[in-house]
């Protein structure tokens, strides 16, 4: 809090049951570019350890900064990105102009559902979606995340 006393932190939250397989898949692609053999279960174990450590103390409580963090759920961002953008602008004290709103709306309309679908599952990496939901149940409850 002393280096940047007015800092504002935005935290994006997603269920680890969805996020972990996603980051495992990305890791597999990166490792696969440099190796003929990729240990998928090892990737799953690695990211389970990393995410467990990262989320262990993450809670909604006052921290060292003067401004509490803004917590945003990934599902809210996906459902209504413009509303979340307005929320972020309000939080950081930057006006969201009509011109910016119009340009973002046009961008989203042009993108449509053009994003590619990448298929992966927790089981691909030696993990279980049910066990991930149980393992991270406190985090899911704390931030009102869909399991």
């Amino acid at each position: 809090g002393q280096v940047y006393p007015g800092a504002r932190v935005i935290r994006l939250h997603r269920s680890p049951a969805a996020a972990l397989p996603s980051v495992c898949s990305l890791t597999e692609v990166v490792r696969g570019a440099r190796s003929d053999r990729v240990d998928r279960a090892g990737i799953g174990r690695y990211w389970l350890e990393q995410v467990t450590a990262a989320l262990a103390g993450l809670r909604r409580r006052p921290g060292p900064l003067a401004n509490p963090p803004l917590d945003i759920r990934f599902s809210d961002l996906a459902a209504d990105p413009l509303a979340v953008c307005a929320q972020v602008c309000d939080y950081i004290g930057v006006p969201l102009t009509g011109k910016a709103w119009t340009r973002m709306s046009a961008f989203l309309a042009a993108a449509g559902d053009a994003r590619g679908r990448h298929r992966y599952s927790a089981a691909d990496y030696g993990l279980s979606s049910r066990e991930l939901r149980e393992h991270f149940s406190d985090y899911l409850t704390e931030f009102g995340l869909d399991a």
Side-chain angles (χ1 to χ4, degrees):
Q2 293 176 343
V3 176
Y4 298 104
R8 297 189 179 262
V9 175
I10 301 167
R11 302 186 300 195
L12 182 63
H13 301 279
R14 186 178 187 196
S15 169
L20 248 154
S22 177
V23 76
C24 286
S25 177
L26 175 61
T27 302
E28 179 184 4
V29 169
V30 170
R31 288 185 184 177
R34 304 212 13 124
S35 176
D36 292 335
R37 185 181 173 287
V38 176
D39 179 6
R40 294 170 106 192
I43 291 171
R45 286 189 304 274
Y46 172 81
W47 281 112
L48 178 59
E49 289 175 17
Q50 297 302 309
V51 172
T52 298
L55 298 182
L58 189 62
R59 296 293 178 259
R60 290 183 196 245
R61 64 176 176 260
L65 300 174
N67 302 302
L70 174 62
D71 292 304
I72 296 174
R73 293 181 300 206
F74 180 83
S75 59
D76 293 337
L77 177 62
D80 194 348
L82 292 175
V84 170
C85 185
Q87 187 181 9
V88 168
C89 286
D90 183 56
Y91 174 72
I92 63 174
V94 172
L96 179 55
T97 65
K99 182 178 179 181
W101 186 274
T102 300
R103 291 184 73 190
M104 288 186 296
S105 297
F107 173 82
L108 291 169
D113 199 24
R115 295 168 293 196
R117 298 288 178 225
H118 183 71
R119 304 273 183 223
Y120 50 81
S121 72
D124 294 341
Y125 303 97
L127 303 169
S128 156
S129 292
R130 181 185 56 77
E131 289 171 352
L132 289 173
R133 287 189 298 273
E134 290 173 6
H135 183 76
F136 294 106
S137 63
D138 289 347
Y139 171 73
L140 294 170
T141 300
E142 179 78 19
F143 293 98
L145 299 172
D146 299 329

